[in-house]
Amino acid sequence: MSKTATLEFDGKKYEFPVTVGTEDEIGVDIKKLRGEAGIITLDPGFKNTGSCESAITFLDGEKGILRYRGYAIEDLAEKADFLEVAYLLIFGELPNKQQLEKFTNDIKEQSHVDEEMKKILDGFPKSAHPMGVLSSLTSALIAFNPSSVDVSSEDDMYKAIVKILGKFPVLAAWTLRKKNSLPLNYGDEDLGYVENLHKMMFEKPNKTYNVDKAVIDALDKLLILHADHEQNCSTSTVRMVGSSHAGLFASLSAGISALWGPLHGGANQAVIEMLEGIKEDGGDTHKFMQKAKDKEDPFRLMGFGHRVYKNFDPRAKIIKKSADEVLGQLGVEDPVLDIAKGLEKEALEDDYFVKRKLYPNVDFYSGIIYRALGIPVDMFTVMFALGRLPGWIAQWREMRLRKEPIGRPRQIYIGENHRDFKPLGSR
Ligand code: CMC
């Protein structure tokens, strides 16, 4: 028997169907609420609103579970590589050998951008934040690839998807190279996706490129851990923009902007800046804990807390372990790692944090690894975007294939009631 939920308002009862997900999550389908009862639901920040049904990522914030298409994040981070995970997220199954080979080759075919794009990059000052540059360049790609704009057949979607997966690392690498005054280069199709990205970012014109395998493995793992996280701020943005049929690249460009903010992906930059600040201030973690708890003080412990995880963030667990390993393998000693561990220990024992279920999130330790890998601080969120790209694509594709309607929330108006217009002279 299908379940229903009953709402009572103004002495009348209304019944609404209930949707149960494959993990027994329950959603009350209130599509007809306004039509039948003349009322809407109010939920700023969408803290309790399901915007869609999705078969891509499952997370249970209470139990600290994260799965892509049913596979545990722990297994994927350990056993798969980034392109396999990208394929899994986008198309729903892990690829077999032939599928992976085709996917990889199709992406390689597209791993260049129009030379004219260099002129656009050239217009940015060196001081521009890489996230702003990346968002603009992603949007600019539309002009050079008009056939990828509003695609709806699966075949055209596939072409647009491999295009952006091929071109995005070039744009990210160029963003860094411009900052570092290095010539703009292209990748090497003999290399794997992540190594190629690394080479494009760091190759010097006067040196043979060489990289430690530990660096590529760590980067691959970080990208996998960031690859999707269901309906977060940037992903919801991608789905929202895509719902107007604005096209994949425009939707992604908007997603990059959403990710930039310090409460979302920008937290990885904010964390390292905070840890550095604590170090420079003498390393007194207790003082900063007090600041984080003081409601009069705008300071928040960056890298702590999560809208959904109310137990622990499984990605943070993997990254913390990885931070220790990577720094050990590369022989890097970073005093902020000790500060981070000290802060975590204090927070986990502190009443304020325990009561509010605030735990380290994915961004608490990721910056420490990025820094050990030689990635500049203001590129951290770009690394997040590179990882999140397949998730955004998968969510956009799902939204279009399910023919979801345009996203258009309602509101409760709290402004002035009707007023008579006052001419300028009498105001
Ligand atoms: N430091 C101090 N207090 C905090 C923190 C923090 N980092 N996070 C939440 N709180 C407090 C908050 O003040 C509130 O207290 P009270 O109930 O007394 O008013 C309570 O905890 C609930 O916080 P909230 O802001 O209502 O929770 P939210 O779900 O709206 O926000 C969050 C989630 C991630 C934006 C928030 O925890 C935060 O700002 N964290 C720091 C930024 C950060 O690390 N962001 C990265 C998130 S993970 C990467 C990603 O996917 O984006």
Short mmCIF file of all heavy atoms in Angstrom, two decimals, residues 47 229 232 259 261-268 271 292-293 295 299-308 310 313 315 352-353 356 358 361-363 384 388, ligand 1:
data_model
loop_
_atom_site.label_atom_id
_atom_site.label_comp_id
_atom_site.label_asym_id
_atom_site.label_seq_id
_atom_site.Cartn_x
_atom_site.Cartn_y
_atom_site.Cartn_z
N LYS A 47 17.12 23.66 3.89
CA LYS A 47 17.66 22.73 4.89
C LYS A 47 16.88 21.42 4.91
O LYS A 47 17.38 20.40 5.36
CB LYS A 47 17.64 23.39 6.27
CG LYS A 47 18.63 24.53 6.39
CD LYS A 47 18.87 24.93 7.83
CE LYS A 47 20.01 25.95 7.90
NZ LYS A 47 20.60 26.10 9.20
N HIS A 229 28.78 15.15 -4.46
CA HIS A 229 28.27 15.21 -3.09
C HIS A 229 26.81 15.58 -3.08
O HIS A 229 26.39 16.47 -2.35
CB HIS A 229 29.11 16.20 -2.27
CG HIS A 229 29.24 15.77 -0.85
ND1 HIS A 229 28.93 16.56 0.22
CD2 HIS A 229 29.59 14.58 -0.32
CE1 HIS A 229 29.10 15.89 1.33
NE2 HIS A 229 29.51 14.69 1.03
N ASN A 232 24.53 19.69 -3.12
CA ASN A 232 25.21 20.81 -2.44
C ASN A 232 24.98 22.11 -3.23
O ASN A 232 24.36 22.11 -4.29
CB ASN A 232 26.70 20.48 -2.33
CG ASN A 232 27.28 20.18 -3.69
OD1 ASN A 232 27.64 21.08 -4.43
ND2 ASN A 232 27.32 18.90 -4.07
N LEU A 259 30.87 27.41 -6.15
CA LEU A 259 31.86 26.66 -5.36
C LEU A 259 32.89 27.58 -4.71
O LEU A 259 33.49 27.25 -3.69
CB LEU A 259 32.58 25.66 -6.29
CG LEU A 259 33.55 24.69 -5.61
CD1 LEU A 259 32.78 23.62 -4.82
CD2 LEU A 259 34.47 24.01 -6.62
N GLY A 261 32.75 30.27 -3.02
CA GLY A 261 32.49 30.87 -1.71
C GLY A 261 33.14 30.11 -0.55
O GLY A 261 33.24 28.89 -0.59
N PRO A 262 33.59 30.85 0.49
CA PRO A 262 34.28 30.20 1.61
C PRO A 262 33.42 29.26 2.44
O PRO A 262 33.95 28.44 3.18
CB PRO A 262 34.77 31.38 2.47
CG PRO A 262 33.92 32.53 2.08
CD PRO A 262 33.51 32.31 0.65
N LEU A 263 32.08 29.38 2.32
CA LEU A 263 31.26 28.42 3.06
C LEU A 263 31.13 27.11 2.30
O LEU A 263 30.64 26.12 2.83
CB LEU A 263 29.86 29.00 3.32
CG LEU A 263 29.82 30.28 4.15
CD1 LEU A 263 28.39 30.63 4.51
CD2 LEU A 263 30.66 30.16 5.41
N HIS A 264 31.58 27.11 1.05
CA HIS A 264 31.49 25.89 0.21
C HIS A 264 32.93 25.51 -0.14
O HIS A 264 33.78 25.36 0.73
CB HIS A 264 30.60 26.24 -0.98
CG HIS A 264 30.20 25.09 -1.84
ND1 HIS A 264 30.34 23.78 -1.50
CD2 HIS A 264 29.61 25.07 -3.10
CE1 HIS A 264 29.88 22.99 -2.47
NE2 HIS A 264 29.45 23.75 -3.45
N GLY A 265 33.24 25.37 -1.43
CA GLY A 265 34.57 24.90 -1.83
C GLY A 265 35.70 25.82 -1.41
O GLY A 265 36.83 25.37 -1.17
N GLY A 266 35.40 27.12 -1.33
CA GLY A 266 36.43 28.09 -0.95
C GLY A 266 36.94 27.86 0.46
O GLY A 266 37.93 28.49 0.89
N ALA A 267 36.29 26.96 1.19
CA ALA A 267 36.74 26.68 2.57
C ALA A 267 38.15 26.12 2.58
O ALA A 267 38.90 26.33 3.54
CB ALA A 267 35.77 25.72 3.26
N ASN A 268 38.55 25.39 1.51
CA ASN A 268 39.90 24.79 1.56
C ASN A 268 40.99 25.88 1.61
O ASN A 268 41.98 25.74 2.33
CB ASN A 268 40.12 23.74 0.46
CG ASN A 268 39.86 24.26 -0.95
OD1 ASN A 268 39.78 25.46 -1.19
ND2 ASN A 268 39.74 23.34 -1.89
N VAL A 271 40.75 27.50 5.11
CA VAL A 271 41.31 26.70 6.19
C VAL A 271 42.81 26.93 6.32
O VAL A 271 43.32 27.20 7.42
CB VAL A 271 41.05 25.18 5.96
CG1 VAL A 271 41.86 24.33 6.93
CG2 VAL A 271 39.57 24.86 6.10
N ALA A 292 35.87 31.04 17.90
CA ALA A 292 34.87 30.34 17.07
C ALA A 292 33.55 30.17 17.81
O ALA A 292 32.48 30.14 17.21
CB ALA A 292 35.42 28.97 16.64
N LYS A 293 33.63 30.10 19.13
CA LYS A 293 32.41 29.87 19.93
C LYS A 293 31.72 31.18 20.30
O LYS A 293 30.55 31.16 20.70
CB LYS A 293 32.78 29.11 21.21
CG LYS A 293 33.27 27.70 20.91
CD LYS A 293 33.38 26.85 22.15
CE LYS A 293 34.56 27.22 23.02
NZ LYS A 293 34.69 26.35 24.19
N LYS A 295 29.69 34.22 19.88
CA LYS A 295 28.66 34.63 18.90
C LYS A 295 28.84 36.08 18.43
O LYS A 295 28.29 36.49 17.40
CB LYS A 295 27.26 34.43 19.47
CG LYS A 295 26.91 32.98 19.69
CD LYS A 295 26.64 32.28 18.35
CE LYS A 295 26.47 30.77 18.54
NZ LYS A 295 26.73 30.02 17.33
N PHE A 299 34.38 35.09 13.51
CA PHE A 299 35.30 33.99 13.19
C PHE A 299 34.60 32.64 13.32
O PHE A 299 33.92 32.36 14.30
CB PHE A 299 36.51 34.05 14.13
CG PHE A 299 37.48 32.90 13.93
CD1 PHE A 299 38.39 32.93 12.89
CD2 PHE A 299 37.47 31.81 14.79
CE1 PHE A 299 39.28 31.87 12.70
CE2 PHE A 299 38.35 30.75 14.60
CZ PHE A 299 39.26 30.79 13.56
N ARG A 300 34.76 31.78 12.33
CA ARG A 300 34.28 30.41 12.39
C ARG A 300 35.46 29.49 12.19
O ARG A 300 36.41 29.85 11.48
CB ARG A 300 33.28 30.12 11.27
CG ARG A 300 31.90 30.55 11.61
CD ARG A 300 30.89 30.00 10.64
NE ARG A 300 29.55 30.16 11.21
CZ ARG A 300 28.47 29.53 10.82
NH1 ARG A 300 28.54 28.68 9.83
NH2 ARG A 300 27.31 29.74 11.40
N LEU A 301 35.40 28.33 12.76
CA LEU A 301 36.47 27.37 12.54
C LEU A 301 36.28 26.79 11.14
O LEU A 301 35.41 25.93 10.92
CB LEU A 301 36.37 26.27 13.61
CG LEU A 301 37.64 25.49 13.89
CD1 LEU A 301 38.78 26.42 14.24
CD2 LEU A 301 37.40 24.51 15.03
N MET A 302 37.05 27.30 10.19
CA MET A 302 36.87 26.87 8.80
C MET A 302 37.26 25.40 8.68
O MET A 302 38.19 24.94 9.35
CB MET A 302 37.71 27.74 7.85
CG MET A 302 37.32 29.20 7.87
SD MET A 302 35.53 29.50 7.75
CE MET A 302 35.23 29.15 6.02
N GLY A 303 36.54 24.68 7.82
CA GLY A 303 36.80 23.24 7.67
C GLY A 303 36.07 22.43 8.72
O GLY A 303 36.28 21.21 8.81
N PHE A 304 35.23 23.10 9.51
CA PHE A 304 34.44 22.38 10.51
C PHE A 304 32.97 22.58 10.24
O PHE A 304 32.53 23.67 9.85
CB PHE A 304 34.74 22.89 11.93
CG PHE A 304 35.65 21.95 12.66
CD1 PHE A 304 36.99 21.94 12.38
CD2 PHE A 304 35.15 21.05 13.59
CE1 PHE A 304 37.84 21.06 13.01
CE2 PHE A 304 35.98 20.17 14.23
CZ PHE A 304 37.34 20.17 13.95
N GLY A 305 32.19 21.55 10.47
CA GLY A 305 30.75 21.65 10.31
C GLY A 305 30.33 21.26 8.91
O GLY A 305 31.11 21.34 7.95
N HIS A 306 29.12 20.80 8.79
CA HIS A 306 28.59 20.43 7.48
C HIS A 306 27.08 20.40 7.56
O HIS A 306 26.52 19.99 8.57
CB HIS A 306 29.10 19.05 7.05
CG HIS A 306 28.96 18.83 5.58
ND1 HIS A 306 27.78 18.38 5.02
CD2 HIS A 306 29.82 19.04 4.57
CE1 HIS A 306 27.95 18.32 3.72
NE2 HIS A 306 29.16 18.72 3.40
N ARG A 307 26.44 20.86 6.49
CA ARG A 307 24.99 20.87 6.47
C ARG A 307 24.42 19.46 6.66
O ARG A 307 23.41 19.27 7.33
CB ARG A 307 24.50 21.47 5.14
CG ARG A 307 23.00 21.35 4.87
CD ARG A 307 22.15 22.08 5.90
NE ARG A 307 22.42 23.48 6.00
CZ ARG A 307 21.94 24.43 5.19
NH1 ARG A 307 21.17 24.09 4.18
NH2 ARG A 307 22.24 25.69 5.39
N VAL A 308 25.06 18.47 6.10
CA VAL A 308 24.48 17.13 6.12
C VAL A 308 25.17 16.19 7.11
O VAL A 308 24.51 15.43 7.82
CB VAL A 308 24.52 16.51 4.69
CG1 VAL A 308 23.83 15.16 4.69
CG2 VAL A 308 23.83 17.44 3.69
N LYS A 310 26.39 14.94 10.32
CA LYS A 310 26.21 15.26 11.73
C LYS A 310 26.89 14.20 12.59
O LYS A 310 26.59 14.00 13.75
CB LYS A 310 24.72 15.36 12.08
CG LYS A 310 23.99 16.43 11.29
CD LYS A 310 24.56 17.85 11.54
CE LYS A 310 23.97 18.88 10.60
NZ LYS A 310 24.69 20.13 10.53
N ASP A 313 32.56 13.28 8.55
CA ASP A 313 32.62 13.33 7.10
C ASP A 313 33.61 12.24 6.66
O ASP A 313 34.80 12.33 6.95
CB ASP A 313 33.11 14.74 6.70
CG ASP A 313 33.22 14.93 5.18
OD1 ASP A 313 33.31 13.93 4.46
OD2 ASP A 313 33.22 16.10 4.74
N ARG A 315 34.97 11.57 4.02
CA ARG A 315 36.05 12.06 3.15
C ARG A 315 37.19 12.64 4.00
O ARG A 315 38.36 12.47 3.70
CB ARG A 315 35.51 13.15 2.21
CG ARG A 315 34.36 12.69 1.35
CD ARG A 315 33.67 13.86 0.67
NE ARG A 315 33.14 14.81 1.62
CZ ARG A 315 32.61 15.99 1.30
NH1 ARG A 315 32.55 16.35 0.04
NH2 ARG A 315 32.14 16.80 2.22
N TYR A 352 30.65 22.89 22.91
CA TYR A 352 30.01 23.68 21.85
C TYR A 352 29.97 22.87 20.54
O TYR A 352 28.95 22.77 19.88
CB TYR A 352 30.80 24.98 21.65
CG TYR A 352 30.35 25.83 20.47
CD1 TYR A 352 29.51 26.92 20.66
CD2 TYR A 352 30.80 25.56 19.17
CE1 TYR A 352 29.11 27.71 19.59
CE2 TYR A 352 30.41 26.34 18.10
CZ TYR A 352 29.57 27.41 18.30
OH TYR A 352 29.18 28.18 17.23
N PHE A 353 31.12 22.30 20.19
CA PHE A 353 31.22 21.57 18.92
C PHE A 353 30.49 20.23 18.98
O PHE A 353 29.83 19.82 18.03
CB PHE A 353 32.70 21.37 18.54
CG PHE A 353 33.32 22.63 18.02
CD1 PHE A 353 33.83 23.59 18.89
CD2 PHE A 353 33.36 22.90 16.66
CE1 PHE A 353 34.36 24.77 18.41
CE2 PHE A 353 33.89 24.07 16.17
CZ PHE A 353 34.40 25.02 17.04
N ARG A 356 26.66 20.75 18.77
CA ARG A 356 26.21 21.14 17.43
C ARG A 356 26.64 20.14 16.36
O ARG A 356 26.42 20.36 15.17
CB ARG A 356 26.74 22.53 17.09
CG ARG A 356 26.07 23.62 17.91
CD ARG A 356 26.76 24.95 17.76
NE ARG A 356 26.10 25.98 18.54
CZ ARG A 356 26.19 26.10 19.87
NH1 ARG A 356 26.92 25.23 20.56
NH2 ARG A 356 25.55 27.05 20.51
N LEU A 358 29.59 19.31 15.19
CA LEU A 358 30.51 19.90 14.22
C LEU A 358 31.80 19.07 14.17
O LEU A 358 32.49 18.93 15.17
CB LEU A 358 30.84 21.34 14.62
CG LEU A 358 29.64 22.30 14.74
CD1 LEU A 358 30.06 23.63 15.36
CD2 LEU A 358 29.01 22.52 13.38
N ASN A 361 35.43 18.69 8.11
CA ASN A 361 34.88 18.28 6.81
C ASN A 361 36.00 18.06 5.80
O ASN A 361 37.18 18.18 6.14
CB ASN A 361 33.83 19.30 6.33
CG ASN A 361 34.43 20.70 6.17
OD1 ASN A 361 35.48 20.87 5.55
ND2 ASN A 361 33.77 21.70 6.75
N VAL A 362 35.63 17.75 4.57
CA VAL A 362 36.59 17.37 3.53
C VAL A 362 37.71 18.41 3.38
O VAL A 362 38.83 18.09 3.01
CB VAL A 362 35.84 17.16 2.18
CG1 VAL A 362 35.27 18.46 1.65
CG2 VAL A 362 36.70 16.50 1.14
N ASP A 363 37.38 19.67 3.67
CA ASP A 363 38.34 20.73 3.41
C ASP A 363 39.33 20.97 4.54
O ASP A 363 40.24 21.79 4.40
CB ASP A 363 37.60 22.04 3.10
CG ASP A 363 36.92 21.98 1.75
OD1 ASP A 363 37.49 21.33 0.86
OD2 ASP A 363 35.85 22.57 1.59
N PHE A 384 39.43 21.59 -6.31
CA PHE A 384 38.11 21.09 -5.92
C PHE A 384 37.21 21.04 -7.16
O PHE A 384 36.52 20.05 -7.44
CB PHE A 384 37.53 22.01 -4.83
CG PHE A 384 36.32 21.51 -4.10
CD1 PHE A 384 36.07 21.90 -2.78
CD2 PHE A 384 35.41 20.65 -4.69
CE1 PHE A 384 34.95 21.46 -2.09
CE2 PHE A 384 34.27 20.20 -4.00
CZ PHE A 384 34.04 20.62 -2.71
N ARG A 388 35.19 18.05 -8.80
CA ARG A 388 33.73 18.06 -8.81
C ARG A 388 33.13 18.01 -10.22
O ARG A 388 31.95 17.73 -10.40
CB ARG A 388 33.24 19.30 -8.03
CG ARG A 388 31.74 19.45 -7.80
CD ARG A 388 31.08 18.25 -7.12
NE ARG A 388 31.65 17.83 -5.87
CZ ARG A 388 31.33 18.26 -4.66
NH1 ARG A 388 30.39 19.15 -4.53
NH2 ARG A 388 31.91 17.77 -3.56
N1 CMC B 1 32.64 27.20 13.62
C1 CMC B 1 31.89 27.61 14.66
N2 CMC B 1 30.57 27.42 14.78
C2 CMC B 1 29.96 26.79 13.78
C3 CMC B 1 30.65 26.34 12.65
C4 CMC B 1 32.04 26.56 12.58
N3 CMC B 1 32.75 26.15 11.51
N4 CMC B 1 29.79 25.75 11.78
C5 CMC B 1 28.59 25.84 12.36
N5 CMC B 1 28.68 26.46 13.56
C6 CMC B 1 27.59 26.70 14.52
C7 CMC B 1 26.69 27.83 14.05
O1 CMC B 1 27.14 29.07 14.57
C8 CMC B 1 25.36 27.41 14.61
O2 CMC B 1 25.37 27.68 15.98
P1 CMC B 1 23.97 28.07 16.74
O3 CMC B 1 23.10 26.87 16.60
O4 CMC B 1 24.40 28.38 18.13
O5 CMC B 1 23.47 29.28 16.01
C9 CMC B 1 25.38 25.88 14.44
O6 CMC B 1 26.76 25.53 14.49
C10 CMC B 1 24.76 25.37 13.14
O7 CMC B 1 25.43 26.03 12.07
P2 CMC B 1 24.72 26.51 10.73
O8 CMC B 1 25.53 27.62 10.13
O9 CMC B 1 23.27 26.76 11.00
O10 CMC B 1 24.83 25.21 9.86
P3 CMC B 1 24.68 25.14 8.30
O11 CMC B 1 24.26 23.77 7.98
O12 CMC B 1 23.83 26.27 7.80
O13 CMC B 1 26.16 25.45 7.76
C11 CMC B 1 28.40 25.17 7.09
C12 CMC B 1 27.06 24.48 7.39
C13 CMC B 1 29.34 24.17 6.42
C14 CMC B 1 28.18 26.32 6.09
C15 CMC B 1 29.00 25.69 8.41
O14 CMC B 1 29.23 24.62 9.29
C16 CMC B 1 30.28 26.50 8.20
O15 CMC B 1 30.21 27.71 7.95
N6 CMC B 1 31.49 25.84 8.29
C17 CMC B 1 32.72 26.49 8.01
C18 CMC B 1 32.93 26.58 6.50
C19 CMC B 1 33.31 25.25 5.88
O16 CMC B 1 34.17 24.54 6.38
N7 CMC B 1 32.68 24.93 4.73
C20 CMC B 1 32.99 23.72 3.97
C21 CMC B 1 31.86 22.74 3.94
S1 CMC B 1 32.38 21.14 3.31
C22 CMC B 1 32.86 21.42 1.69
C23 CMC B 1 31.70 21.60 0.80
O17 CMC B 1 31.16 20.61 0.32
O18 CMC B 1 31.33 22.76 0.58
#
